[in-house]
Amino acid sequence: MAAVEYREEDGILFVKFNRPEALNAINREFVRGLRNVVEYARENKSVRVIVITGEGKAFCAGADIKMFSESSHFAARNTIEELGRVLEDMEDLEVPVIAAVNGFALGGGCEVAMACDIIIASEKASFGQPEINLGIIPGAGGTQRLARLVGWKKAMELCLTGERISAEEAYRLGLVNKVVEHEKLIDEAKKLAEIIKSKSPYAVMLVKQAVNRGYKMSLKDGIMYERDLFTISFSSKDAEEGIRAFVEKRKAEFRRDRE
């Protein structure tokens, strides 16, 4: 049984963390599986949106402590470094990634969710960076992404205390986009994926670049970057089709695959 399973269905790549007996904890197989997902999305231009969830009662409860307890310092660093690289590559994918958080998203699991473009949480979900309780700190972007999402004061509190927060609290803080009934989680994620899938793939790619990369720039540089991407989008075939369809009062028919 693979630690990470995935299947493509009509342009949506459904990904499932599949170590429920270990609360989908992160081990080397997990990291390799997530790397395979990223490479599949890169190579298969039919993929328009990715939806990630977990099997069982956890999205991902963090690192496999047993594995790390048996690892040397260098081996532990290599594993967490590779996870960090995979998450950065996932952020840089041309297609949006939706995290459908079904349960615990703790430690590395919270880091995985934060690297996704949109987070939809079940009412049963919880989030946190509890590494401090083990005498360590987050190592795959937890301190950095959390501070950018909820503000550095709240991120400092959460990382220093190791406390978990509920889905509702995560929503209030701006960590998640939406909280839904547990039984409707995948349906809601799929509904959102279908909406995004109906848009211009080229424009979707440029929006993701503008938000993710521009957010790391100064406001002035980000606006200039956005303007450059706007110019690129305006000269695309999708823009030509979208504008023509609007004038002709019909639904735009964007190309299905990314270039």
Side-chain angles (χ1 to χ4, degrees):
M1 184 173 64
V4 179
E5 297 182 346
Y6 57 95
R7 61 181 174 82
E8 184 179 348
E9 183 180 305
D10 195 23
I12 302 175
L13 186 62
F14 291 96
V15 180
K16 182 172 66 176
F17 301 146
N18 197 34
R19 300 186 68 219
E21 73 287 351
L23 298 179
N24 301 321
I26 297 167
N27 60 8
R28 295 181 187 89
E29 290 71 29
F30 181 105
V31 176
R32 281 196 291 267
L34 197 53
R35 166 61 65 191
N36 290 339
V37 168
V38 170
E39 295 303 327
Y40 183 92
R42 278 177 174 169
E43 295 169 6
N44 292 271
K45 301 304 182 182
S46 56
V47 175
R48 300 280 297 279
V49 187
I50 301 173
V51 174
I52 302 178
T53 195
E55 178 67 23
K57 63 181 182 180
F59 176 74
C60 171
D64 189 322
I65 303 303
K66 184 176 186 298
M67 182 199 74
F68 276 95
S69 70
E70 298 169 351
S71 300
S72 68
H73 299 163
F74 295 109
R77 179 189 171 94
N78 287 341
T79 299
I80 205 71
E81 195 167 36
E82 177 56 23
L83 175 63
R85 283 195 294 264
V86 171
L87 297 185
E88 289 169 11
D89 289 345
M90 188 168 73
E91 283 182 323
D92 286 338
L93 283 173
E94 295 179 353
V95 298
V97 183
I98 300 171
V101 179
N102 54 299
F104 304 124
L106 306 174
C110 189
E111 290 172 317
V112 172
M114 290 191 292
C116 296
D117 299 296
I118 295 173
I119 302 176
I120 298 178
S122 156
E123 59 195 350
K124 296 183 179 181
S126 60
F127 300 81
Q129 298 291 162
E131 289 89 346
I132 195 83
N133 297 323
L134 300 175
I136 58 176
I137 72 169
T143 60
Q144 303 306 300
R145 289 189 179 92
L146 190 60
R148 286 162 172 77
L149 288 168
V150 306
W152 72 274
K153 288 288 190 183
K154 191 63 180 181
M156 185 73 79
E157 176 191 337
L158 292 173
C159 290
L160 286 176
T161 63
E163 291 181 354
R164 300 180 190 178
I165 58 173
S166 67
E168 288 294 342
E169 176 70 357
Y171 174 74
R172 189 184 69 80
L173 291 171
L175 179 58
V176 308
N177 298 79
K178 189 177 184 180
V179 179
V180 301
E181 294 178 25
H182 184 74
E183 294 75 16
K184 297 180 179 178
L185 177 64
I186 299 303
D187 287 341
E188 289 292 328
K190 186 175 180 180
K191 186 186 303 182
L192 179 59
E194 291 287 352
I195 292 172
I196 295 171
K197 199 180 75 171
S198 71
K199 312 302 180 184
S200 156
Y202 195 61
V204 166
M205 175 188 72
L206 294 178
V207 165
K208 178 166 175 173
Q209 289 180 3
V211 175
N212 282 351
R213 296 179 186 177
Y215 189 70
K216 300 171 185 176
M217 304 176 185
S218 69
L219 178 59
K220 182 177 180 180
D221 289 344
I223 289 172
M224 290 302 297
Y225 181 58
E226 177 193 73
R227 198 161 295 153
D228 290 340
L229 295 182
F230 162 78
T231 304
I232 292 171
S233 71
F234 196 78
S235 63
S236 70
K237 292 180 180 178
D238 277 3
E240 182 180 335
E241 164 62 12
I243 293 169
R244 183 185 297 117
F246 180 84
V247 172
E248 295 174 358
K249 298 181 179 180
R250 61 174 175 81
K251 185 177 180 179
E253 297 181 5
F254 298 116
R255 56 187 173 79
R256 294 194 60 184
D257 296 335
R258 295 169 284 135
E259 291 180 351

